[in-house]
C-alpha cells in the first residue's frame, strides 16, 4: 500500500499537468476492458449496451485528444511567433552585417599592406618570388646598381618577352657603373672582394677588368634588345660612383637587394618608401652620363653579335673598347650580354 501511495504521489503532478491526456488514457483502458468483457454481464441487451458504451467512450477519448492537440498548439503559437518575428526576421539584417564585417576586414588588411613601409625578404625563394611578381605585367622598370648582371640574365629578357607577347609598350631605365672610369671600377671590385674572395654565383671572382666587362655587357644588351623590339623604350645611364644597394622598381613594387643573396627589402607601389625611392632613381639617372641608345640603328647587331659588330657599336657611340682588349675579350662581353649567368643560381 505504501508503494502504491508513493507511486501515486509521483504520478499525480504529471497527471495534473496533463489532465486531458491522463483522462483519455484512463478512458482508453476502460474501453479496452469493456471491449473484452462478456456482453452477458450487461443484461439481456448486453451486446447493444456494450457497443454503446464503447462508442461513447471512444468519442470522449477523441474529444480529449483533440483538446490536448489544441492546447499544445496554443502553447506553441507564442514560441513560433517569437522565432518567426524575432530571430528569423533579423536574419537578413544579421547576414548583411556579417558581409559588412567581412568587407571591412578585407579593406583593413589591404590598408595595412599599403601602409606597411618595408617588408624584409629572408630567403632566395622569397626574393625570386618578389622579382617574379614585380615583372608580371609591368609597363616600366628602373634599375640602379653595380653592373646589372641579374638585370641582363633575368629581368631584361623576361620583361621584353612578356611585353612582346602582349604587344605592349615597355620602358626600362638602367644605371650602372661607368666602365670607362677605372677608379670607380676598381673601387667596386675591391668592395666585392672584401665581402668574399671566392667565386660568386656566376663562377667568377671580382676584378677591375670583370667590372668593366660586365658594364660593357649591359650596354650591349640594351642595344641588342632595342633593335629587336620596336615598343621597347630603354635608356642606360653610367655612374661615376658606386652603391652597395641594388634597386629594382616596377609598376607594382620596389625591391632593394644587397650582396647577401638571402636578404632583401620590398615595398609596394603607393607607399611612402616606394614613392621616395622612385624619385631618388629618377634624379640619380638624370645625373648619370647617358648612353646614346638613339643610335641603335647605326650599328646593327646579329642574333649572335660578331667581334666586328660589337667593336663598331662601341666606336659609333663614342665609347671605344680598351685597346688592350683582344677578340677573346670582345666575345666575353657578348657572352655576358646575351648569355649572362644568374648570379643567384637560378635556372
Amino acid at each position: 500500500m505504501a508503494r502504491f501511495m508513493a507511486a501515486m504521489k509521483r504520478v499525480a503532478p504529471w497527471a495534473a499537468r496533463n489532465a486531458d491526456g491522463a483522462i483519455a488514457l484512463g478512458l482508453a483502458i476502460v474501453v479496452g476492458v469493456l471491449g473484452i468483457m462478456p456482453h452477458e454481464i450487461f443484461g439481456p441487451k448486453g451486446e447493444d449496451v456494450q457497443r454503446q458504451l464503447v462508442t461513447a467512450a471512444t468519442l470522449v477519448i477523441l474529444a480529449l485528444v483533440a483538446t490536448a492537440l489544441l492546447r499544445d498548439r496554443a502553447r506553441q503559437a507564442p514560441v513560433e511567433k517569437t522565432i518567426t518575428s524575432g530571430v528569423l526576421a533579423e536574419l537578413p539584417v544579421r547576414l548583411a552585417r556579417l558581409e559588412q564585417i567581412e568587407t571591412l576586414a578585407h579593406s583593413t588588411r589591404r590598408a595595412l599592406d599599403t601602409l606597411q613601409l618595408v617588408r624584409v625578404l629572408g630567403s632566395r625563394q622569397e626574393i625570386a618570388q618578389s622579382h617574379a611578381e614585380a615583372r608580371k605585367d609591368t609597363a616600366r622598370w628602373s634599375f640602379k646598381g653595380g653592373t646589372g648582371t641579374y638585370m641582363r640574365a633575368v629581368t631584361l629578357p623576361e620583361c621584353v618577352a612578356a611585353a612582346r607577347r602582349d604587344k605592349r609598350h615597355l620602358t626600362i631605365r638602367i644605371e650602372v657603373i661607368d666602365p670607362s672610369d677605372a677608379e670607380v671600377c676598381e673601387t667596386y671590385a675591391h668592395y666585392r672582394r672584401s665581402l668574399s674572395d671566392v667565386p660568386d654565383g656566376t663562377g667568377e671572382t671580382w676584378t677591375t677588368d670583370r667590372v668593366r666587362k660586365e658594364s660593357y655587357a649591359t650596354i650591349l644588351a640594351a642595344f641588342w634588345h632595342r633593335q629587336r623590339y620596336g615598343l621597347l623604350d630603354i635608356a642606360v645611364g653610367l655612374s661615376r660612383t658606386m652603391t652597395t644597394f641594388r634597386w629594382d622598381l616596377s609598376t607594382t613594387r620596389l625591391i632593394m637587394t644587397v650582396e647577401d643573396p638571402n636578404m632583401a627589402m620590398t615595398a609596394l607601389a603607393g607607399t611612402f618608401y616606394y614613392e621616395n625611392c622612385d624619385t631618388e632613381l629618377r634624379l640619380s639617372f638624370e645625373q648619370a652620363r647617358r648612353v646614346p641608345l638613339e643610335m641603335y640603328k647605326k650599328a646593327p647587331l646579329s642574333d649572335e653579335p660578331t667581334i666586328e659588330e660589337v667593336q663598331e657599336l662601341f666606336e659609333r657611340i663614342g665609347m671605344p673598347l680598351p685597346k688592350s682588349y683582344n677578340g677573346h675579350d670582345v666575345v666575353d662581353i657578348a657572352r655576358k650580354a646575351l648569355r649572362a649567368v644568374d648570379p643567384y643560381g637560378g635556372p
Side-chain angles (χ1 to χ4, degrees), residues 146 174-181 184 215-216 218-219 235-241 284-285 287-292 314 317 319:
I174 302 173
E175 183 179 344
V176 293
I177 288 173
D178 189 340
S180 63
D181 190 323
V184 69
S215 288
Y216 279 127
T218 298
I219 297 170
V236 178
L238 304 176
S239 175
R240 293 184 178 274
T241 59
S284 179
F285 186 81
Q287 298 174 65
R289 181 163 74 100
R290 198 69 58 86
V291 175
F314 283 102
I317 64 175
M319 295 181 60

Side-chain angles (χ1 to χ4, degrees), residues 46-219:
E47 186 175 355
D48 294 335
V49 173
Q50 185 183 31
R51 186 182 300 110
Q52 292 176 0
L53 288 174
V54 171
T55 302
T58 301
L59 292 174
V60 173
I61 292 172
L62 292 175
L64 290 172
V65 170
T67 302
L69 291 174
L70 291 174
R71 183 197 61 186
D72 290 341
R73 183 168 298 178
R75 290 177 179 176
Q76 293 175 2
V79 177
E80 293 177 354
K81 182 178 179 181
T82 301
I83 294 175
T84 303
S85 62
V87 177
L88 293 180
E90 294 178 359
L91 185 58
V93 177
R94 292 176 182 270
L95 291 175
R97 189 174 302 168
L98 180 61
E99 184 177 354
Q100 292 176 356
I101 293 174
E102 291 179 351
T103 303
L104 179 61
H106 178 72
S107 300
T108 303
R109 189 182 302 111
R110 185 172 55 188
L112 289 174
D113 289 339
T114 302
L115 291 174
Q116 187 178 21
L117 183 61
V118 173
R119 184 165 66 91
V120 176
L121 306 175
S123 69
R124 291 173 183 261
Q125 292 74 20
E126 278 191 295
I127 297 173
Q129 179 63 30
S130 186
H131 272 94
E133 292 175 355
R135 290 192 299 268
K136 185 178 180 182
D137 300 327
T138 188
R140 70 184 181 104
W141 195 283
S142 295
F143 170 82
K144 178 182 178 180
T147 59
T149 306
Y150 185 81
M151 184 72 191
R152 295 191 313 273
V154 180
T155 305
L156 180 57
E158 291 201 6
C159 285
V160 171
R164 180 181 285 111
R165 184 174 58 250
D166 299 336
K167 298 179 176 58
R168 55 180 168 78
H169 182 264
L170 176 65
T171 300
I172 293 183
R173 298 290 179 264
I174 302 173
E175 183 179 344
V176 293
I177 288 173
D178 189 340
S180 63
D181 190 323
E183 183 177 351
V184 69
C185 290
E186 170 58 31
T187 301
Y188 186 75
H190 176 74
Y191 168 71
R192 295 297 296 266
R193 287 196 306 270
S194 67
L195 297 178
S196 176
D197 57 359
V198 299
D200 60 12
T202 66
E204 300 181 64
T205 55
W206 282 97
T207 63
T208 302
D209 186 56
R210 181 189 172 187
V211 174
R212 299 179 75 179
K213 287 181 178 179
E214 297 281 356
S215 288
Y216 279 127
T218 298
I219 297 170

